[in-house]
Each structure stands twice: as structure tokens, then as C-alpha cells.
């Protein structure tokens, strides 16, 4: 029976693969023909178009002819782009046409219908689906992992079905390696096979092995604030990327990549995840760090690491700004290069004209309109005097306005962008301090000018436990129309002063926004031995909920060495031993001081060091600071400085050690000079 099923599925795969090859050949032919036709038309344009601007009539004819040819070119570009996307999809499916099959019975009197599920959809004739997209409503039945009577939803309409078969495939191009009929995640052979593969320098999509609790997050209905609270290794980041792909699919007519922003802690992590969405046929969204965000919104200074501003100062800015009495130093002179167009006292006099408005957006925008009007008049009068002195002929109002825009655009742009407001001085006055942070500066600027991005529809923040309440208040104000998806693990908060999950809920409720928290409590990353080790650092009520689906592996190795010589000999030995194992080996240090000390001692035996803007190597061992290792995973991990100085037995020390341990999937060694941390 099994051989018969195998042969039937292999036969179906061969037919599907053959049709894909035919599609590939046809698309390549269409693209080739289109390119040839475009080249012919390009030559026609070059040979026949006449650029004649002798008079108004011939100029209009020339421009009309150019417009006609531009439309031809646009048509070619649109058609070429469409064919290129279809060819890219076909090429992707040729690597592995699909990964699953479901058989559904919609009515007891009818025969079950089979659907093959893959990373991308493809049809023979634009209607009959050869492969359905994993994000389609019907594919939800596969991910729900409920055999028998179940359902899926299409545009708020529930479709009841009887799931007769849920089959997984291991496929390489046109060859069926194996198949599995599975029901529940813990017995999922495809998942276990995937987890057993060695880790690389790039995160891979989990489309074929999405589990039920992960699928709940990926397909969760839109809510203003969605917090995913998952343990280390539960696939939070993978789920985030799959949800972004799901949103792009569900809202493909209305959602663009530039309307989704993904905040990441460092460039190393951004590089680690940058091929997941393209592999799913989607474009990466805007992916930035906190400092890159500050640069993007033109904050005039940045700070090292995260901005740990107390949220109380932002509340004080919000409450006190309207009561502030304007003074001259709250504003800048308006300049065109070195020339002062209006000095700050003149700006203040305009501000005082509108004293019925408190300090804030309405006042500043009203003042900006009046300043632009006055600046244009001043510039016009200045140039009129110059014109009279040189006895030039007066220009028309339209020509004069255009000339002022061209000659004095810098001053006018400064006014329009509220560059006349001295944000730094105003923030310092309110807070009564000589130093303000980037978050305080930006929040003050937003309160004064209304600066924000209303285009952004989704704001995704990974490792949210490492952001401050002030940073989230800034994001909330800068992206007023965005829905927020926040992912994190409070036990991986490795910096002081970061936001708690209860505070996230309070922020959402303060805005009367619906808040939903979803758990992810299964570790798909680490072996049971490693999972048990890092779970031992969790609060007892959470520790009991943690489980691992990995196969049993090796025990965690722990070493306490008395002298420097013994310590560095052992560290060198472990690095050498792990370097011979498959996959990546990360030697993690708590901070830069410990890392620099080890580099000096190891000398030429030290592996490569990963710094903030580096990419991970494709194999071998490397040294990395804990803050850069966050969110990443490695086959082998050596925690090189697991003593009480680096990991003290307090809450922060436990969080840091938990984070370091949980980077490992298969092998973990914990090493210290002297006594191991009391956390262990």
C-alpha cells in the first residue's frame, strides 16, 4: 500500500514538474519575444522621432509624439515585470513544487478534493490551481492540524469541511524523497527533520513546518496592538516574518512594503533575516535600528546603544509645553546661506501675534504660514530694490515667485519644515536640564510641529523587551495610523530600564486600543538538555509550561578553571573541538571588556570577531558579544565568561545567562575562570 501511494504521489509530482518546465519555457519565450519587439520599437523611435522645437505648434507635436512612445515603453515595462514575476515564481517552485497535501470533503455525498500546498501559487490556465499558496484560506486547515470535522474562513464566512488526509512531502525538484501522514505537531517528522539540519549564516523560512500555536499568531486578525510573548527558541522572529508575508498576501491590493516598518536591534540581525521574505516571493519592508530611525527623522544627534530615557520626561513635555511662554531663544534666525532673512526676534514677534494659541502644533503651523508670507515679501522687496538700482525691467508675479523659490529655496524650506524652532532649547527649558536625549528631542519636535508618518500601516518590533517605554511612546506618536506587532521574551531583557509587558498593555489601554497577548511556549530551537538548562532560570510558574520538540542530544558541559593558564587552555581546546563540528560555533562574551581581554590572551588562536556591521560567517567559530547574539541561533555555543562578575545572581544576570544559553541548538559548553555564576 505504501509503495502504491508513493508511486501515485511521485507520478503526480512528475506531471506537476513537467507542467512547470513547460511554463518556464513558455515564459522565457514570451520574455525573449517581448525584448526583441521592444528593441525594434526602440530602434524605430531612434530613427523616426523628430525633436523639433522651432515654434509652439511643432513643439507640441514633438511632445505629443514623445508621450505616445513613453506609453509604449510603459506598456513594455509593465508586461515585462509581470512575466518576470511569474517566471520567478515558477523557478522557485521548480526547487520544490509543494510541501503538503490535504484532502477535504465538503459534502458527505461528494468525493474528497485534494489540494497541494506550496510557497507560491501556480495555475495552468489562470483558474485551475496546481499549487495553492500557503497563505490562502484553505491552507489554514493544514496548519490547524485537526483531522476530521474542521473549518476555514473566507471573508468572514466559515466553510465547514471534513479533513480526510493531511500529508507532508520531502521533495527535491522532481524527486519525491518521502511522505508522511501526520496529525499533531509533536509527531511531525518534517519538523524534526528540519530542526536537525545545521544552522547557517541566514535564517530560513519555516513555511513547511509552521506549528499550530505559530499559525495562530501568523493568521491572527488585525488588532491595534498584538504582543507575542514567547520563550527562547519558540520561533518568534520566524513567525513575525511569516506574518508579514501573510499580510502582504491578504492585503496585496492595498499594502506596500514601504508601509511596513520592522525595528531590529542591530545590523547583524537584519543581515541574518534578509533572505526570508524574498524566498517567499515578497519584498523586505523597511528594516531599521533605533539609531537609523533617529537618522531617518533627522534627529541632530545619536546616542550609543538604546535610549534609556525615562518615560516621565516625555509625559512632562506633553503636559508642560502648552503652558510655556515663548521667548526669542526658542527660535532660530531664518537664513538663506549666510544671509539672515528674518532674525529670531522677528520670528518671536510673529509668534506673539497668535498668542491665543498655546505652544504646540496649531501655533507653529500658523506661524510658519505667516513667516513664509513675510519672507517672500521681504525677499521680493530686496530684489526689487536691486532691480531698480540696475534699471532692469520688472518681472511678472509668476516669474518673480518662481525666481524667489529657486534663489531662496533654502530659507523657504526651513520655514515650511519648521526649521525656525529651536527644539533643543525648548526641551531643555521644560525639563530643566542641560542635556536631553534623542527621544526627548524627537518627542518635543513632534509635539511642536506634528511631525509623523501617517503612511505607515504596520509597525513590527522584534525583541521588544530590549526597548524602553520612552522609545515605544516615540513610535506610537510618530506612527499614529500603524498597527503594532510586538514580539519578545521578558526573560531576555539584558539591559536596565527596559519596558515590561504590563507597561506595554498599559500604553495600549491608555490609547483605548485593543490589546491582545499570545503565548509561544514550545522550544523548536534547542535540544531538551539545553532547553532544560535555560528554563531552570525561569520563574517556576513559567518553567512548568516550557517544552522542547527536539530529539535528545548531549548534556550541557560546564567547566570551572582556577588559573588563567587552565582557563585559556580549555577555551582554546573547546573552540578547536567545536570548530570541527558541523554548523556555526558562537563563543559568546557578556560584554566588550570580556571579549577584548580574551582576544588579547588568545592572540593568533582567536577566531574571527563579529562586530556590529558584520555578517556572520557561513561556517566555523567566531567570537561575539551577547548584545549582538540576541535573536540569532547557532549549532554550538560556548559561554566563555560565565562567572559572577559577568552574570551576577540578580534578575538582570539571570536574563543575560538565559539569553546566552538559549542561542544553542545542539551543543552548549559553559566556562568560567574561577567559580561559575550562582545563577547556574
Amino acid at each position: 500500500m505504501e509503495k502504491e501511494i508513493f508511486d501515485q504521489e511521485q507520478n503526480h509530482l512528475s506531471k506537476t514538474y513537467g507542467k512547470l518546465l513547460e511554463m518556464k519555457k513558455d515564459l522565457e519565450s514570451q520574455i525573449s519575444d517581448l525584448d526583441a519587439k521592444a528593441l525594434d520599437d526602440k530602434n524605430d523611435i531612434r530613427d523616426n522621432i523628430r525633436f523639433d522645437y522651432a515654434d509652439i505648434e511643432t513643439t507640441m507635436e514633438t511632445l505629443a509624439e514623445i508621450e505616445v512612445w513613453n506609453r509604449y515603453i510603459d506598456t513594455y515595462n509593465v508586461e515585462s515585470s509581470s512575466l518576470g514575476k511569474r517566471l520567478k515564481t515558477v523557478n522557485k517552485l521548480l526547487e520544490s513544487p509543494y510541501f503538503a497535501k490535504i484532502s477535504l470533503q465538503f459534502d458527505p455525498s461528494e468525493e474528497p478534493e485534494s489540494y497541494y500546498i506550496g510557497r507560491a501559487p501556480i495555475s495552468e490556465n489562470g483558474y485551475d490551481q496546481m499549487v495553492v499558496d500557503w497563505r490562502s484560506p484553505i491552507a489554514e486547515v493544514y496548519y490547524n492540524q485537526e483531522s476530521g470535522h474542521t473549518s476555514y474562513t473566507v471573508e468572514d464566512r466559515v466553510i465547514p469541511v471534513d479533513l480526510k488526509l493531511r500529508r507532508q512531502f520531502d521533495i527535491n525538484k522532481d524527486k519525491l524523497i518521502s511522505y508522511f501522514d501526520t496529525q499533531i505537531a509533536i509527531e511531525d517528522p518534517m519538523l524534526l527533520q528540519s530542526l536537525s539540519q545545521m544552522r547557517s549564516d541566514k535564517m530560513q523560512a519555516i513555511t513547511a513546518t509552521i506549528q499550530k500555536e505559530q499559525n495562530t499568531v501568523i493568521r491572527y486578525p488585525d488588532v491595534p496592538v498584538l504582543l507575542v510573548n514567547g520563550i527562547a527558541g519558540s520561533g518568534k522572529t520566524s513567525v513575525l516574518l511569516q506574518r508579514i508575508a501573510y499580510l502582504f498576501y491578504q492585503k496585496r491590493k492595498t499594502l506596500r512594503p514601504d508601509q511596513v516598518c520592522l525595528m531590529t536591534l542591530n545590523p547583524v540581525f537584519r543581515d541574518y533575516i534578509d533572505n526570508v521574505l524574498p524566498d517567499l516571493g515578497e519584498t523586505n519592508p523597511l528594516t531599521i535600528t533605533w539609531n537609523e530611525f533617529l537618522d531617518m527623522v533627522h534627529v541632530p544627534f545619536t546616542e550609543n546603544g538604546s535610549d534609556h530615557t525615562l518615560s516621565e520626561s516625555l509625559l512632562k513635555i506633553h503636559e508642560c509645553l502648552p503652558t510655556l511662554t515663548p521667548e526669542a531663544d526658542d527660535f532660530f534666525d531664518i537664513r538663506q546661506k549666510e544671509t539672515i532673512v528674518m532674525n529670531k526676534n522677528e520670528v518671536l514677534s510673529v509668534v506673539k501675534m497668535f498668542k491665543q494659541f498655546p505652544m504646540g502644533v496649531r501655533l507653529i503651523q500658523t506661524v510658519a504660514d505667516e513667516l513664509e508670507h513675510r519672507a517672500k515679501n521681504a525677499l521680493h522687496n530686496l530684489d526689487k530694490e536691486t532691480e531698480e538700482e540696475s534699471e532692469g525691467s520688472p518681472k511678472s508675479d509668476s516669474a518673480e515667485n518662481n525666481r524667489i523659490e529657486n534663489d531662496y529655496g533654502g530659507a523657504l524650506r526651513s520655514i515650511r519644515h519648521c526649521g525656525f524652532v529651536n527644539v533643543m532649547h525648548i526641551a531643555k527649558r521644560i525639563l530643566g536640564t542641560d542635556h536631553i536625549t534623542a527621544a526627548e528631542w524627537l518627542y518635543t519636535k513632534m509635539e511642536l510641529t506634528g511631525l509623523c508618518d501617517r503612511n505607515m500601516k504596520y509597525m513590527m518590533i522584534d525583541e521588544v523587551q530590549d526597548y524602553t517605554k520612552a522609545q515605544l511612546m516615540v513610535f506610537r506618536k510618530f506612527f499614529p495610523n500603524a498597527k503594532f506587532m510586538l514580539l519578545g521574551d521578558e526573560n531576555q531583557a539584558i539591559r536596565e530600564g527596559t519596558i515590561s509587558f504590563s507597561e506595554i498593555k498599559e500604553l495600549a489601554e491608555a490609547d483605548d486600543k485593543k490589546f491582545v497577548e499570545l503565548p509561544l511556549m514550545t522550544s523548536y530551537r534547542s535540544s531538551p538538555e539545553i532547553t532544560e538548562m535555560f528554563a531552570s532560570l525561569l520563574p517556576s510558574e513559567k518553567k512548568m509550561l516550557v517544552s522542547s520538540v527536539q530529539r535528545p542530544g548531549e548534556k550541557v558541559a560546564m567547566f570551572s578553571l582556577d588559573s588563567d593558564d587552565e582557563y585559556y587552555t580549555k577555551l582554546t581546546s573547546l573552540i578547536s573541538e567545536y570548530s570541527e563540528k558541523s554548523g556555526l560555533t558562537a563563543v559568546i562574551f557578556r560584554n566588550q571588556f570580556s571579549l577584548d581581554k580574551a582576544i588579547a590572551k588568545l592572540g593568533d588562536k582567536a577566531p574571527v570577531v563579529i562586530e556590529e556591521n558584520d555578517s556572520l560567517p557561513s561556517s566555523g567559530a567566531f567570537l561575539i558579544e551577547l548584545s549582538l547574539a540576541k535573536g540569532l541561533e547557532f549549532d554550538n555555543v560556548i559561554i566563555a565568561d560565565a562567572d559572577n562578575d559577568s552574570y551576577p545572581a540578580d534578575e538582570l544576570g539571570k536574563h543575560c545567562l538565559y539569553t546566552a544559553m538559549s542561542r544553542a541548538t545542539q551543543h552548549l559548553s559553559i566556562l568560567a575562570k574561577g567559580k561559575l555564576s550562582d545563577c547556574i
Side-chain angles (χ1 to χ4, degrees):
M1 183 65 179
E2 284 191 14
K3 185 179 186 307
E4 183 180 341
I5 294 173
F6 188 95
D7 291 343
Q8 288 174 353
E9 294 293 1
Q10 177 62 70
N11 185 49
H12 181 273
L13 174 60
S14 298
K15 288 180 180 178
T16 302
Y17 200 83
K19 291 174 182 177
L20 287 170
L21 287 174
E22 290 175 9
M23 289 182 185
K24 175 181 171 71
K25 184 177 179 181
D26 182 55
L27 287 168
E28 288 174 340
S29 176
Q30 290 184 56
I31 291 172
S32 178
D33 291 345
L34 186 67
D35 289 345
K37 193 171 187 303
L39 181 60
D40 288 342
D41 284 345
K42 181 180 177 182
N43 291 333
D44 283 346
I45 295 172
R46 184 190 62 203
D47 296 340
N48 298 320
I49 195 167
R50 296 179 301 110
F51 297 98
D52 191 344
Y53 304 102
D55 52 43
I56 292 177
E57 185 175 348
T58 55
T59 297
M60 294 302 292
E61 290 176 356
T62 297
L63 294 176
E65 190 174 359
I66 292 172
E67 178 61 24
V68 169
W69 284 113
N70 280 339
R71 289 179 182 175
Y72 273 119
I73 293 168
D74 288 343
T75 301
Y76 283 130
N77 287 339
V78 169
E79 189 173 354
S80 177
S81 175
S82 175
L83 290 171
K85 286 180 180 178
R86 289 179 61 195
L87 180 59
K88 186 176 180 181
T89 297
V90 170
N91 283 331
K92 190 177 298 295
L93 292 177
L94 283 170
E95 298 171 8
S96 178
Y98 45 80
F99 56 80
K101 172 186 177 180
I102 51 175
S103 291
L104 305 177
Q105 190 172 42
F106 292 87
D107 188 289
S109 63
E110 299 174 352
E111 288 296 314
E113 297 179 23
S114 293
Y115 299 87
Y116 288 83
I117 302 169
R119 289 182 296 169
I122 200 75
S123 62
E124 281 187 86
N125 49 23
Y127 178 75
D128 293 326
Q129 290 279 312
M130 292 168 53
V131 179
V132 300
D133 194 290
W134 68 274
R135 298 165 289 187
S136 66
I138 203 167
E140 184 176 1
V141 176
Y142 168 76
Y143 290 115
N144 283 342
Q145 300 169 335
E146 296 172 353
S147 293
H149 293 287
T150 182
S151 64
Y152 63 96
T153 304
V154 180
E155 296 178 349
D156 297 326
R157 186 164 62 97
V158 177
I159 312 294
V161 294
D162 188 358
L163 177 60
K164 296 294 188 181
L165 175 72
R166 180 179 180 272
R167 179 167 290 163
Q168 296 174 299
F169 301 106
D170 182 6
I171 289 172
N172 181 21
K173 297 183 179 179
D174 61 343
K175 301 298 181 186
L176 176 61
I177 310 302
S178 59
Y179 75 89
F180 312 98
D181 291 344
T182 59
Q183 295 183 11
I184 58 175
I186 202 74
E187 296 173 356
D188 192 330
M190 288 288 286
L191 173 64
L192 294 176
Q193 179 179 316
S194 172
L195 295 176
S196 67
Q197 295 173 359
M198 70 177 187
R199 267 53 184 178
S200 70
D201 58 326
K202 295 289 186 181
M203 176 178 278
Q204 304 299 315
I206 63 168
T207 312
T209 59
I210 293 169
Q211 300 302 292
K212 187 173 182 178
E213 65 172 0
Q214 296 172 327
N215 187 55
T216 299
V217 176
I218 293 167
R219 295 175 185 260
Y220 201 83
D222 267 352
V223 290
V225 182
L226 176 61
L227 173 63
V228 180
N229 185 353
I231 66 161
S234 57
K236 294 184 293 296
T237 303
S238 294
V239 166
L240 166 62
L241 296 171
Q242 301 284 159
R243 179 164 174 84
I244 292 173
Y246 177 75
L247 290 171
F248 281 148
Y249 175 83
Q250 291 291 310
K251 304 173 185 294
R252 49 195 176 279
K253 294 182 179 179
T254 59
L255 184 63
R256 305 188 308 270
D258 66 296
Q259 293 175 313
V260 179
C261 180
L262 171 56
M263 292 299 302
T264 182
L265 287 174
N266 56 66
V268 175
F269 185 70
R270 176 174 55 210
D271 185 68
Y272 177 62
I273 65 173
D274 67 3
N275 70 339
V276 174
L277 285 168
D279 188 52
L280 295 173
E282 302 292 352
T283 302
N284 278 322
L286 173 67
T287 307
I288 54 175
T289 65
W290 168 250
N291 279 341
E292 288 167 342
F293 168 73
L294 296 180
D295 185 59
M296 183 182 77
V297 296
H298 308 297
V299 176
F301 58 95
T302 57
E303 299 176 346
N304 293 326
S306 297
D307 188 339
H308 296 302
T309 305
L310 293 175
S311 55
E312 285 76 8
S313 64
L314 303 193
L315 293 173
K316 186 175 181 180
I317 291 166
H318 175 74
E319 292 167 359
C320 296
L321 182 63
T323 68
L324 200 68
T325 301
E327 60 181 37
D329 285 340
D330 291 337
F331 307 99
F332 291 118
D333 297 335
I334 298 171
R335 296 174 178 268
Q336 174 62 34
K337 296 182 179 177
E338 300 303 318
T339 303
I340 295 179
V341 178
M342 297 178 70
N343 64 43
K344 61 186 179 183
N345 288 306
E346 292 174 298
V347 173
L348 178 62
S349 69
V350 174
V351 172
K352 288 181 176 179
M353 288 174 54
F354 303 100
K355 60 185 178 181
Q356 70 270 31
F357 301 137
M359 281 285 270
V361 176
R362 188 174 182 185
L363 172 64
I364 297 303
Q365 293 296 340
T366 304
V367 168
D369 291 341
E370 179 64 22
L371 288 175
E372 183 176 352
H373 175 70
R374 292 192 177 202
K376 284 183 175 179
N377 285 340
L379 294 168
H380 176 74
N381 293 333
L382 175 66
D383 289 323
K384 188 175 181 182
E385 293 172 7
T386 306
E387 242 178 38
E388 289 172 354
E389 288 174 5
S390 60
E391 298 182 351
S393 56
K395 297 180 177 66
S396 68
D397 288 344
S398 175
E400 176 65 6
N401 284 334
N402 287 338
R403 191 192 60 76
I404 287 175
E405 287 285 350
N406 290 332
D407 292 351
Y408 300 102
L412 296 176
R413 279 194 300 274
S414 176
I415 293 171
R416 291 165 186 159
H417 290 89
C418 304
F420 59 89
V421 181
N422 188 340
V423 176
M424 183 82 74
H425 185 265
I426 293 171
K428 287 180 177 179
R429 283 183 65 198
I430 293 172
L431 297 175
T433 180
D434 291 331
H435 171 76
I436 64 168
T437 66
E440 289 165 340
W441 187 96
L442 180 55
Y443 203 84
T444 305
K445 177 79 177 280
M446 291 190 288
E447 287 279 345
L448 283 164
T449 67
L451 173 69
C452 66
D453 182 350
R454 298 187 183 278
N455 173 64
M456 198 63 66
K457 292 185 177 181
Y458 290 93
M459 184 69 181
M460 312 294 200
I461 305 179
D462 200 12
E463 303 288 352
V464 68
Q465 75 280 347
D466 282 334
Y467 290 81
T468 65
K469 185 176 180 181
Q471 287 174 305
L472 263 69
M473 290 172 69
V474 167
F475 293 143
R476 178 183 63 171
K477 192 169 187 65
F478 189 79
F479 300 110
N481 296 332
K483 293 181 173 68
F484 281 73
M485 181 179 181
L486 315 171
L487 300 95
D489 177 358
E490 279 188 296
N491 293 287
Q492 291 188 63
I494 65 171
R495 297 183 180 89
E496 295 280 7
T498 52
I499 194 165
S500 68
F501 286 7
S502 61
E503 287 177 316
I504 293 174
K505 183 178 181 181
E506 288 169 6
L507 278 179
E509 292 176 343
D511 289 339
D512 292 325
K513 291 184 176 180
K514 184 177 180 181
F515 171 86
V516 175
E517 181 175 342
L518 298 176
L520 291 174
M521 296 304 295
T522 304
S523 173
Y524 303 100
R525 173 192 298 155
S526 303
S527 68
E529 293 82 2
I530 296 171
T531 301
E532 183 181 359
M533 176 61 75
F534 69 69
S536 68
L537 300 173
L538 295 175
S540 55
E541 66 276 8
K542 197 166 186 178
K543 187 190 312 181
M544 301 297 294
L545 302 174
V546 175
S547 63
S548 169
V549 300
Q550 286 268 18
R551 295 186 176 95
E554 295 182 6
K555 290 183 178 180
V556 175
M558 292 185 281
F559 304 94
S560 174
L561 290 311
D562 293 330
S563 67
D564 271 4
D565 286 345
E566 289 177 317
Y567 170 78
Y568 285 108
T569 298
K570 187 62 181 179
L571 178 58
T572 303
S573 171
L574 284 172
I575 292 172
S576 176
E577 176 188 338
Y578 277 24
S579 295
E580 295 176 1
K581 296 180 183 292
S582 60
L584 288 171
T585 295
V587 186
I588 298 177
F589 293 85
R590 172 68 184 88
N591 51 44
Q592 192 65 44
F593 174 79
S594 297
L595 178 57
D596 289 341
K597 184 179 177 183
I599 293 170
K601 290 284 189 178
L602 292 172
D604 58 6
K605 294 182 180 179
V608 64
V609 179
I610 299 299
E611 298 181 342
E612 186 167 355
N613 292 307
D614 294 337
S615 298
L616 294 175
S618 57
S619 62
F622 55 89
L623 311 183
I624 189 168
E625 189 182 347
L626 177 60
S627 61
L628 294 181
K630 280 185 61 65
L632 307 179
E633 58 184 49
F634 317 104
D635 294 274
N636 319 303
V637 166
I638 301 169
I639 301 177
D641 53 352
D643 51 51
N644 279 312
D645 289 337
S646 296
Y647 300 95
D650 54 21
E651 184 176 68
L652 186 62
K654 287 182 179 180
H655 287 178
C656 291
L657 192 54
Y658 168 92
T659 304
M661 288 178 178
S662 58
R663 300 310 92 201
T665 65
Q666 301 299 325
H667 307 100
L668 173 63
S669 285
I670 301 172
L671 186 67
K673 179 185 172 295
K675 188 174 180 292
L676 285 165
S677 169
D678 292 334
C679 296
I680 301 172

